[in-house]
Amino acid sequence: MYYIPMCTLALTEEWRKITWGKDRQFVKDYRLLNDDQQLRVLLYGPTGSGKTSFLNSVDSALQGRITSQALSDAIYQESFTTDYRTFKIQNGGPGTFYPFVFTDIMGIEQGTNKGVVVEDIRHALMGHIRDGYNFNPVCKIPKDDKNYNKTPTLSDRVHVLVCVIAANTVKILNDETVRKMREVRLAARDMGIPQLAILTKIDEACPEVKTDIRNVYKSIYLKQQMEYLSVTLGIPLYCIFPVKNYHSEIETHEHTDTVILSALRQMINFGKDCYDRL
């Protein structure tokens, strides 16, 4: 059994400035020039890191109520997500959606026959995998599979890659999982795809943040976890965002929404930069 360190350090002055409540309107107003196209955000990371919960939390923050569009699991022994699924987020009435989508995939696991195959993530980045493909931990998708997309459109391709890791597991990631995540990162680099990281479960890692989410950028412990993650995977510190997913709440909260939407705003900005280059 691993020992998971808890936040025991005192708070300090705010080391990253955030304007509480400013990003909601930016997200609501965002549009692409072509209404038929969309930015695609691909979430990846270790099993149990909170990828699906983050997706649901973004949806909840934008809907103003707790939602559960993507099925998640509270037991983290193996990946609960097994297929390639794209999720739209409703903006207003039925049939109207935000101009970005989230793609959720099987988690990365230790072992050669466990979790998503790195090559399948490469295919997903290029838009070669269709919704409904059931990941095979043993081998990559064959090109004759019905869910292999031979001619991906601009909207099929990934425009921003987001690594999701739990704050209380950053320093206990095994070497094999780190290697696989690093391979994914390098593949995205070669394709010119921008990358961000989401540090989830910050309320479980730091009691001061659990007491008040506004302490997120005052927590020395969380800053140290972000710095460690940056060194481990090579993701710049300004591309790492700590968030609290909704998991026990039955109502949304303005301050929790703020940290979620702050991260979403950067995903949109980075994704648009990539989209405009393609």
Side-chain angles (χ1 to χ4, degrees):
M1 178 179 293
Y2 291 112
Y3 167 70
I4 301 178
M6 295 294 289
C7 173
T8 56
L9 300 175
L11 300 178
T12 185
E13 293 295 321
E14 198 171 50
W15 45 267
R16 177 184 284 177
K17 297 298 180 182
I18 182 172
T19 302
W20 297 92
K22 75 170 184 176
D23 294 314
R24 184 182 303 278
Q25 197 61 46
F26 169 86
V27 175
K28 285 188 172 296
D29 292 342
Y30 178 73
R31 298 289 185 274
L32 285 172
L33 292 177
N34 190 335
D35 291 336
D36 295 330
Q37 296 180 325
Q38 58 199 11
L39 294 181
R40 183 176 296 272
V41 180
L42 177 65
L43 305 176
Y44 82 105
T47 295
S49 59
K51 301 187 306 301
T52 307
S53 292
F54 174 70
L55 190 162
N56 284 331
S57 295
V58 170
D59 192 19
S60 297
L62 292 176
Q63 302 304 323
R65 61 179 177 83
I66 300 299
T67 68
S68 185
Q69 183 180 176
L71 298 180
S72 58
D73 191 28
I75 302 174
Y76 308 130
Q77 293 180 346
E78 58 184 27
S79 182
F80 190 67
T81 301
T82 59
D83 58 351
Y84 183 94
R85 293 195 63 191
T86 297
F87 296 90
K88 297 179 179 180
I89 297 179
Q90 188 170 303
N91 182 8
T96 304
F97 301 95
Y98 285 94
F100 51 83
V101 297
F102 284 90
T103 296
D104 195 14
I105 62 173
M106 179 181 249
I108 292 177
E109 297 183 39
Q110 183 178 13
T112 55
N113 298 328
K114 292 183 177 181
V116 63
V117 177
V118 171
E119 191 61 31
D120 270 347
I121 303 182
R122 291 194 182 98
H123 283 307
L125 292 172
M126 294 183 287
H128 286 306
I129 299 182
R130 292 192 177 98
D131 267 23
Y133 174 67
N134 198 273
F135 290 102
N136 186 339
V138 178
C139 63
K140 64 182 181 181
I141 183 173
K143 292 186 177 180
D144 60 354
D145 190 285
K146 66 178 182 179
N147 287 313
Y148 184 87
N149 185 4
K150 295 180 181 179
T151 56
T153 65
L154 180 59
S155 291
D156 293 327
R157 298 179 63 175
V158 170
H159 306 104
V160 57
L161 176 67
V162 178
C163 175
V164 182
I165 297 180
N168 52 7
T169 65
V170 171
K171 293 189 177 181
I172 61 172
L173 291 172
N174 61 74
D175 291 343
E176 184 178 357
T177 297
V178 171
R179 176 184 60 77
K180 289 179 179 179
M181 290 193 295
R182 182 67 180 170
E183 286 180 16
V184 172
R185 174 164 161 71
L186 295 178
R189 176 205 63 186
D190 293 342
M191 299 176 200
I193 299 173
Q195 303 170 50
L196 298 173
I198 296 296
L199 202 66
T200 62
K201 305 182 183 180
I202 57 175
D203 53 322
E204 297 179 20
C206 183
E208 295 294 343
V209 172
K210 186 173 184 177
T211 299
D212 188 344
I213 189 68
R214 288 174 294 182
N215 288 327
V216 57
Y217 291 123
K218 295 179 182 179
S219 170
I220 299 174
Y221 176 79
L222 289 182
K223 186 172 187 287
Q224 290 175 340
Q225 303 313 297
M226 292 168 63
E227 290 171 341
Y228 187 87
L229 178 60
S230 177
V231 171
T232 302
L233 293 182
I235 300 175
L237 198 61
Y238 68 86
C239 294
I240 302 175
F241 293 85
V243 303
K244 176 191 180 306
N245 288 337
Y246 286 112
H247 57 92
S248 63
E249 299 83 354
I250 59 173
E251 293 182 354
T252 57
H253 189 279
E254 177 187 359
H255 297 146
T256 301
D257 287 353
T258 292
V259 294
I260 293 170
L261 296 178
S262 174
L264 178 60
R265 178 172 185 161
Q266 289 305 103
M267 292 177 200
I268 292 173
N269 285 334
F270 280 33
K272 182 181 183 301
D273 291 341
C274 177
Y275 185 93
D276 291 343
R277 290 195 303 266
L278 296 176

